[in-house]
């Protein structure tokens, strides 16, 4: 009994041990919280600037049975591996650089294993921002156009920059470099650019301003240090000119000298004034206000002042002329003006050469940097040049000239007395070209005019040019000609066009495009200029063999040029000849050929040239065919039906021929037709009509059409003749004024004749009649037109020999006098003269009417008798 009681505890322990061995417990991680550096990596945060190779965490866990554990890290498929782990110690190391802007969270699967059981957990690691990004300006470059009369404090532009960082590292403030040296200010938060309060823009003083804007972030930690990043950009502000500045004289003060040998009318000096608004300048009108005392005059357009008296007539040694320069608008109105004083002396002697001066004294070299192609008439304000001759009178008079490439600049004044401010003005803007000359070098020469010594001096003027976008892309040719076979597949290259732009930088980059009605089937590569067909394009020379369109070459600033492209689609032999009918019937007259014709739809030779041949005929030696025209005729020995009857027993004389039409393309295509020929002899009289009727035997509609055409022509001719006769008869109805001629009797020379006046008879009806009776004193009229003005003469005056007797013309039209109701035709009736008691009023009326008839007759002219 005691033995049994001792055995029972021992057995129980064995059973417990067996159960524990069989029930293994899984390992687990320690969860030490978000700020812990060991555990299961849950809620771990890392800065994006953590260096690669840094020990960032320690995985820590245990096994309930106390077995050793191992650690591992795995990732989702396609994810980047940022960490590695020591499997035994659990030390986690960063192996890939972090970038919050690309990936701000990293998911990792951590696992712990005791060899039998593995526990995995998905944890999320947060990537914290570091200030590692710089601000970036958007929508650059910044070019602003501002009128010069824009009020101060006005906002003219808004600048915008972005920073990808968060927090203070992503906040941006703006400021300007050299804030005290420029005329603008910027809002530090919004980036709005404004004109400074109390500051105005002036086109005449400065046409372009360059403002450097700085964008700075708020700073932040980067690898343990506080870092602040910034970026800069340049804003180009172009000032636009406004008509707000009066003209100004250049080269002042003006001194002129009149010498003892100066001739009246000689030019003394020239004053020059320019519109202060150089962007849109007006012309200048000059005049002398006072001080000339009648001794000097000025050219209104050139400003040349001349002496109009000889020197010995000048009463003063010094003349002070007040010269006025006024702007003249395009409408001819005089607006702004300015004045200058001109001092003119009468002096002489020569012992000093001309000398050039700069701002710091005598100088023989002047340099300037400027943009190419300045406006013509612009003054090179950067050159401060003064020339002086210490002599007096004629000895201090010298000319200024620029020696170098001609026609580019001109110097003002060209003639100097004593001293002047030298002004160089642009004369040929096109020649100031950066692509042709990077540097322009001139010599400024001052040489005395009227001295025996001819003293002179020179100074070098060096102008360095800056590039602008002044060139248009230019094609290598004005047109391009290309050819492409019609069976070319879609996307085939056709031709490459080439254009060049000599400008530098982005201004020299070219983009190509095409347009026009013929460009639908084609595309162009925008940078290489290769023209190719659309992928779906199908070319057919028979439908359209010619295409032309325009190609455009454009730079980044929108300047462009055009060239024309001509594309010819080359024909490929893809059509066979075709007869209008495969079986044809024709009638042949012995001695006359018949013709068969086939059409090939190909577009070009030799693909559309057809050759004819007889493939089969029975008998074979009867017909010949013209290879080119398709004309079929009998052999030369066959001249009658009798010969044909001897050849064949076929009495109806009908043959069937198989004719082949074959083109000359490669490969060649052919087709055949059966031609039935009815042979007969000519039975009609020979002549064109007979030949025509025989030819149209098989085509009666042709004969009917010709007959209708002949009839139409005859009807048209009849209408034209009738119309001409109608207009002729209509014109012949016009009545011309005609006088009736009364034949004068032959009278002896010794007798006198009295001429009675035109008598007026008052008729009863509205159509008044006039009776003319003349005893013609003299009809000596070589033209026999009876247009002789009759003047009353004394009754006893002798008469010249009478003219030959003239018979009156019965068909002569009578006179017509216009009235309210129409025209009156007088009846010519010879009446005996009335008695002398006729009233004077009646005679006066008759005389007036006669004078009117004679004037009208003289105006229209009488027909010859």
């Amino acid at each position: 009994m005691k033995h049994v009681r001792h055995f029972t505890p021992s057995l129980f322990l064995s059973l417990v041990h067996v159960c524990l061995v069989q029930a293994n417990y899984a390992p687990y991680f320690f969860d030490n919280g978000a700020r812990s550096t060991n555990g299961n990596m849950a809620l771990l945060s890392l800065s994006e600037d953590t260096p690669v190779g840094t020990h960032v965490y320690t995985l820590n866990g245990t096994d309930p049975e106390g077995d050793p554990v191992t650690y591992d890290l795995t990732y989702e498929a396609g994810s980047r591996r940022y960490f590695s782990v020591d499997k035994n110690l659990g030390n986690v190391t960063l192996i890939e650089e972090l970038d919050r802007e690309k990936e701000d969270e990293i998911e990792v699967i951590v696992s712990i294993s005791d060899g039998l059981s593995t526990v995995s957990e998905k944890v999320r690691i947060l990537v914290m921002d570091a200030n590692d990004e710089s601000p970036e300006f958007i929508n650059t470059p910044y070019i602003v156009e501002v009128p010069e009369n824009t009020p101060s404090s006005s906002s003219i532009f808004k600048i915008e920059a972005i920073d990808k960082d968060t927090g203070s590292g992503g906040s941006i403030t703006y400021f300007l470099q050299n804030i005290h040296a420029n005329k603008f200010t910027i809002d530090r938060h919004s980036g709005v650019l404004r004109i400074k309060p109390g500051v105005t823009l002036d086109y005449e003083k400065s046409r372009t301003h360059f403002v450097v804007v700085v964008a700075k972030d708020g700073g932040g930690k980067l690898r343990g240090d506080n870092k602040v990043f910034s970026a800069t950009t340049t804003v180009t502000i172009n000032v636009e000119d406004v008509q707000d500045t009066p003209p100004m004289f250049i080269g002042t003060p003006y001194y002129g000298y009149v010498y003892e040998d100066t001739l009246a009318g000689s030019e003394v000096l020239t004053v020059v004034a320019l519109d202060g608004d150089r962007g849109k300048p007006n012309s200048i009108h000059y005049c002398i206000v006072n001080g000339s005392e009648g001794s000097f005059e000025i050219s209104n357009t050139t400003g040349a002042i001349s002496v109009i008296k000889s020197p010995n007539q000048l009463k003063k040694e010094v003349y002070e002329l007040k010269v006025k320069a006024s702007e003249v608008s395009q409408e001819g109105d005089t607006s702004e003006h300015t004045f200058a004083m001109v001092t003119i002396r009468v002096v002489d002697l020569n012992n000093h050469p001309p000398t050039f001066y700069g701002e710091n004294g005598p100088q023989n070299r002047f340099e300037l940097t400027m943009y190419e192609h300045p406006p013509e008439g612009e003054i090179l304000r950067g050159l401060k040049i003064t020339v002086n001759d210490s002599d007096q009178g004629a000895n201090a008079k010298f000319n200024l000239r620029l020696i170098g490439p001609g026609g580019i600049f001109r110097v003002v004044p060209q003639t100097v007395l004593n001293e002047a401010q030298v002004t160089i003005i642009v004369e040929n803007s096109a020649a100031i070209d950066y692509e042709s000359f990077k540097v322009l070098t001139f010599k400024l020469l001052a040489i005395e005019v009227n001295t025996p010594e001819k003293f002179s001096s020179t100074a070098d003027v060096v102008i360095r040019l800056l590039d602008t976008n002044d060139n248009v892309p230019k094609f290598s040719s004005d047109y391009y000609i290309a050819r492409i076979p019609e069976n070319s597949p879609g996307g085939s290259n056709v031709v490459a066009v080439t254009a060049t732009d000599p400008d530098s930088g982005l201004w020299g980059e070219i983009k190509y495009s095409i347009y026009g009605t013929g460009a639908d089937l084609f595309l162009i590569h925008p940078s290489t200029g290769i023209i190719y067909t659309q992928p779906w394009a199908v070319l057919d020379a028979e439908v359209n063999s010619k295409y032309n369109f325009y190609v455009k070459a454009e730079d980044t600033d929108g300047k462009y040029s055009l060239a024309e492209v001509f594309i010819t689609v080359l024909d490929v032999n893809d059509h066979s000849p075709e007869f209008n009918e495969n079986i044809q019937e024709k009638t042949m007259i012995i001695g006359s050929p018949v013709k068969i014709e086939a059409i090939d739809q190909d577009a070009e030779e030799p693909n559309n040239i057809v050759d004819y041949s007889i493939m089969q005929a029975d008998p074979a030696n009867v017909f010949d065919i013209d290879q080119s025209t398709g004309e079929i005729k009998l052999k030369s020995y066959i001249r009658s039906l009798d010969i044909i009857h001897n050849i064949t027993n076929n009495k109806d004389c009908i043959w069937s021929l198989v004719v082949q039409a074959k083109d000359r393309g490669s490969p060649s295509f052919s087709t055949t037709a059966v031609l039935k020929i009815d042979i007969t002899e000519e039975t009609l009289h020979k002549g064109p009509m007979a030949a025509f009727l025989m030819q149209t035997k098989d085509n009666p509609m042709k004969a009917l059409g010709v007959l209708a055409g002949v009839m139409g022509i005859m009807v048209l001719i009849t209408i034209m003749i009738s119309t001409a006769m109608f207009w002729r008869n209509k014109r012949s109805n016009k009545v011309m004024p005609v006088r009736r001629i009364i034949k004068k009797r032959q009278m002896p020379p010794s007798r006198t004749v009295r001429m009675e006046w035109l008598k007026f008879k008052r008729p009863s009806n509205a159509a008044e009649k006039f009776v003319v009776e003349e005893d013609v004193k003299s009809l000596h009229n070589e033209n026999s037109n009876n247009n002789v003005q009759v003047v009353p003469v004394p009754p006893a005056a002798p008469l010249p020999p009478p003219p030959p007797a003239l018979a009156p013309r019965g068909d002569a039209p009578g006179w017509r006098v216009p009235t309210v109701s129409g025209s009156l035709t007088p009846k010519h009736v010879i009446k005996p003269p009335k008695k002398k008691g006729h009233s004077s009023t009646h005679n006066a009326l008759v005389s007036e009417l006669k004078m009117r008839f004679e004037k009208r007759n003289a105006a229209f002219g009488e027909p010859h008798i």
Side-chain angles (χ1 to χ4, degrees), residues 199-212:
V199 174
T200 58
L201 304 179
D202 193 344
Y203 177 88
E204 288 70 31
K205 293 181 179 179
S206 181
R207 300 182 182 182
T208 304
H209 300 271
F210 299 96
V211 179
V212 179

PDB file of all heavy atoms in Angstrom, residues 199-212:
ATOM      1  N   VAL A 199       7.695 106.263 -57.433  1.00  0.00           N
ATOM      2  CA  VAL A 199       8.630 106.015 -58.535  1.00  0.00           C
ATOM      3  C   VAL A 199       7.827 105.890 -59.827  1.00  0.00           C
ATOM      4  O   VAL A 199       6.760 105.270 -59.855  1.00  0.00           O
ATOM      5  CB  VAL A 199       9.446 104.734 -58.286  1.00  0.00           C
ATOM      6  CG1 VAL A 199      10.300 104.402 -59.503  1.00  0.00           C
ATOM      7  CG2 VAL A 199      10.330 104.909 -57.059  1.00  0.00           C
ATOM      8  N   THR A 200       8.321 106.493 -60.883  1.00  0.00           N
ATOM      9  CA  THR A 200       7.688 106.384 -62.205  1.00  0.00           C
ATOM     10  C   THR A 200       8.677 105.805 -63.193  1.00  0.00           C
ATOM     11  O   THR A 200       9.902 105.901 -63.006  1.00  0.00           O
ATOM     12  CB  THR A 200       7.212 107.760 -62.706  1.00  0.00           C
ATOM     13  OG1 THR A 200       8.337 108.656 -62.750  1.00  0.00           O
ATOM     14  CG2 THR A 200       6.136 108.330 -61.807  1.00  0.00           C
ATOM     15  N   LEU A 201       8.137 105.193 -64.254  1.00  0.00           N
ATOM     16  CA  LEU A 201       8.961 104.639 -65.320  1.00  0.00           C
ATOM     17  C   LEU A 201       9.134 105.678 -66.413  1.00  0.00           C
ATOM     18  O   LEU A 201       8.248 106.492 -66.671  1.00  0.00           O
ATOM     19  CB  LEU A 201       8.313 103.378 -65.889  1.00  0.00           C
ATOM     20  CG  LEU A 201       8.011 102.270 -64.880  1.00  0.00           C
ATOM     21  CD1 LEU A 201       7.340 101.099 -65.587  1.00  0.00           C
ATOM     22  CD2 LEU A 201       9.277 101.816 -64.172  1.00  0.00           C
ATOM     23  N   ASP A 202      10.283 105.630 -67.079  1.00  0.00           N
ATOM     24  CA  ASP A 202      10.579 106.589 -68.144  1.00  0.00           C
ATOM     25  C   ASP A 202      11.246 105.837 -69.286  1.00  0.00           C
ATOM     26  O   ASP A 202      12.371 105.360 -69.150  1.00  0.00           O
ATOM     27  CB  ASP A 202      11.493 107.699 -67.631  1.00  0.00           C
ATOM     28  CG  ASP A 202      11.567 108.860 -68.608  1.00  0.00           C
ATOM     29  OD1 ASP A 202      11.164 108.678 -69.792  1.00  0.00           O
ATOM     30  OD2 ASP A 202      12.013 109.934 -68.223  1.00  0.00           O
ATOM     31  N   TYR A 203      10.511 105.720 -70.395  1.00  0.00           N
ATOM     32  CA  TYR A 203      11.037 105.003 -71.565  1.00  0.00           C
ATOM     33  C   TYR A 203      12.311 105.651 -72.084  1.00  0.00           C
ATOM     34  O   TYR A 203      13.229 104.974 -72.543  1.00  0.00           O
ATOM     35  CB  TYR A 203       9.966 104.996 -72.664  1.00  0.00           C
ATOM     36  CG  TYR A 203      10.389 104.363 -73.956  1.00  0.00           C
ATOM     37  CD1 TYR A 203      10.234 102.985 -74.154  1.00  0.00           C
ATOM     38  CD2 TYR A 203      10.937 105.122 -74.983  1.00  0.00           C
ATOM     39  CE1 TYR A 203      10.620 102.408 -75.336  1.00  0.00           C
ATOM     40  CE2 TYR A 203      11.322 104.541 -76.173  1.00  0.00           C
ATOM     41  CZ  TYR A 203      11.165 103.190 -76.345  1.00  0.00           C
ATOM     42  OH  TYR A 203      11.555 102.613 -77.519  1.00  0.00           O
ATOM     43  N   GLU A 204      12.372 106.995 -72.002  1.00  0.00           N
ATOM     44  CA  GLU A 204      13.522 107.695 -72.554  1.00  0.00           C
ATOM     45  C   GLU A 204      14.779 107.486 -71.716  1.00  0.00           C
ATOM     46  O   GLU A 204      15.894 107.591 -72.236  1.00  0.00           O
ATOM     47  CB  GLU A 204      13.221 109.193 -72.662  1.00  0.00           C
ATOM     48  CG  GLU A 204      12.236 109.545 -73.773  1.00  0.00           C
ATOM     49  CD  GLU A 204      10.818 109.078 -73.493  1.00  0.00           C
ATOM     50  OE1 GLU A 204      10.430 109.032 -72.310  1.00  0.00           O
ATOM     51  OE2 GLU A 204      10.113 108.729 -74.461  1.00  0.00           O
ATOM     52  N   LYS A 205      14.629 107.173 -70.435  1.00  0.00           N
ATOM     53  CA  LYS A 205      15.786 106.945 -69.585  1.00  0.00           C
ATOM     54  C   LYS A 205      16.190 105.478 -69.544  1.00  0.00           C
ATOM     55  O   LYS A 205      17.366 105.144 -69.557  1.00  0.00           O
ATOM     56  CB  LYS A 205      15.499 107.439 -68.166  1.00  0.00           C
ATOM     57  CG  LYS A 205      15.339 108.952 -68.079  1.00  0.00           C
ATOM     58  CD  LYS A 205      15.079 109.375 -66.639  1.00  0.00           C
ATOM     59  CE  LYS A 205      14.934 110.887 -66.526  1.00  0.00           C
ATOM     60  NZ  LYS A 205      14.654 111.309 -65.122  1.00  0.00           N
ATOM     61  N   SER A 206      15.225 104.609 -69.482  1.00  0.00           N
ATOM     62  CA  SER A 206      15.531 103.178 -69.417  1.00  0.00           C
ATOM     63  C   SER A 206      14.382 102.407 -70.032  1.00  0.00           C
ATOM     64  O   SER A 206      13.236 102.514 -69.575  1.00  0.00           O
ATOM     65  CB  SER A 206      15.743 102.729 -67.971  1.00  0.00           C
ATOM     66  OG  SER A 206      16.055 101.347 -67.922  1.00  0.00           O
ATOM     67  N   ARG A 207      14.677 101.659 -71.079  1.00  0.00           N
ATOM     68  CA  ARG A 207      13.628 100.923 -71.793  1.00  0.00           C
ATOM     69  C   ARG A 207      13.404  99.527 -71.237  1.00  0.00           C
ATOM     70  O   ARG A 207      12.348  98.949 -71.443  1.00  0.00           O
ATOM     71  CB  ARG A 207      13.992 100.814 -73.274  1.00  0.00           C
ATOM     72  CG  ARG A 207      14.147 102.164 -73.947  1.00  0.00           C
ATOM     73  CD  ARG A 207      14.455 102.022 -75.403  1.00  0.00           C
ATOM     74  NE  ARG A 207      14.651 103.315 -76.039  1.00  0.00           N
ATOM     75  CZ  ARG A 207      14.894 103.495 -77.321  1.00  0.00           C
ATOM     76  NH1 ARG A 207      14.982 102.460 -78.118  1.00  0.00           N
ATOM     77  NH2 ARG A 207      15.078 104.703 -77.813  1.00  0.00           N
ATOM     78  N   THR A 208      14.405  98.994 -70.550  1.00  0.00           N
ATOM     79  CA  THR A 208      14.290  97.628 -70.030  1.00  0.00           C
ATOM     80  C   THR A 208      14.865  97.584 -68.627  1.00  0.00           C
ATOM     81  O   THR A 208      15.923  98.175 -68.357  1.00  0.00           O
ATOM     82  CB  THR A 208      15.033  96.627 -70.933  1.00  0.00           C
ATOM     83  OG1 THR A 208      14.533  96.730 -72.268  1.00  0.00           O
ATOM     84  CG2 THR A 208      14.828  95.208 -70.444  1.00  0.00           C
ATOM     85  N   HIS A 209      14.156  96.914 -67.736  1.00  0.00           N
ATOM     86  CA  HIS A 209      14.624  96.694 -66.368  1.00  0.00           C
ATOM     87  C   HIS A 209      14.719  95.186 -66.130  1.00  0.00           C
ATOM     88  O   HIS A 209      13.817  94.433 -66.528  1.00  0.00           O
ATOM     89  CB  HIS A 209      13.674  97.319 -65.352  1.00  0.00           C
ATOM     90  CG  HIS A 209      13.521  98.803 -65.501  1.00  0.00           C
ATOM     91  ND1 HIS A 209      14.340  99.712 -64.866  1.00  0.00           N
ATOM     92  CD2 HIS A 209      12.645  99.544 -66.239  1.00  0.00           C
ATOM     93  CE1 HIS A 209      13.963 100.941 -65.179  1.00  0.00           C
ATOM     94  NE2 HIS A 209      12.943 100.874 -66.018  1.00  0.00           N
ATOM     95  N   PHE A 210      15.789  94.786 -65.465  1.00  0.00           N
ATOM     96  CA  PHE A 210      15.971  93.383 -65.110  1.00  0.00           C
ATOM     97  C   PHE A 210      15.914  93.275 -63.590  1.00  0.00           C
ATOM     98  O   PHE A 210      16.752  93.854 -62.879  1.00  0.00           O
ATOM     99  CB  PHE A 210      17.298  92.843 -65.636  1.00  0.00           C
ATOM    100  CG  PHE A 210      17.416  92.901 -67.133  1.00  0.00           C
ATOM    101  CD1 PHE A 210      18.051  93.950 -67.758  1.00  0.00           C
ATOM    102  CD2 PHE A 210      16.854  91.903 -67.909  1.00  0.00           C
ATOM    103  CE1 PHE A 210      18.161  94.006 -69.128  1.00  0.00           C
ATOM    104  CE2 PHE A 210      16.944  91.945 -69.290  1.00  0.00           C
ATOM    105  CZ  PHE A 210      17.594  93.012 -69.900  1.00  0.00           C
ATOM    106  N   VAL A 211      14.910  92.565 -63.094  1.00  0.00           N
ATOM    107  CA  VAL A 211      14.686  92.432 -61.656  1.00  0.00           C
ATOM    108  C   VAL A 211      14.951  90.974 -61.270  1.00  0.00           C
ATOM    109  O   VAL A 211      14.367  90.054 -61.855  1.00  0.00           O
ATOM    110  CB  VAL A 211      13.247  92.845 -61.283  1.00  0.00           C
ATOM    111  CG1 VAL A 211      13.025  92.666 -59.798  1.00  0.00           C
ATOM    112  CG2 VAL A 211      12.992  94.280 -61.701  1.00  0.00           C
ATOM    113  N   VAL A 212      15.840  90.796 -60.278  1.00  0.00           N
ATOM    114  CA  VAL A 212      16.171  89.450 -59.797  1.00  0.00           C
ATOM    115  C   VAL A 212      15.314  89.163 -58.565  1.00  0.00           C
ATOM    116  O   VAL A 212      15.394  89.878 -57.553  1.00  0.00           O
ATOM    117  CB  VAL A 212      17.672  89.328 -59.459  1.00  0.00           C
ATOM    118  CG1 VAL A 212      17.966  87.923 -58.930  1.00  0.00           C
ATOM    119  CG2 VAL A 212      18.509  89.633 -60.687  1.00  0.00           C
TER     120      VAL A 212
END
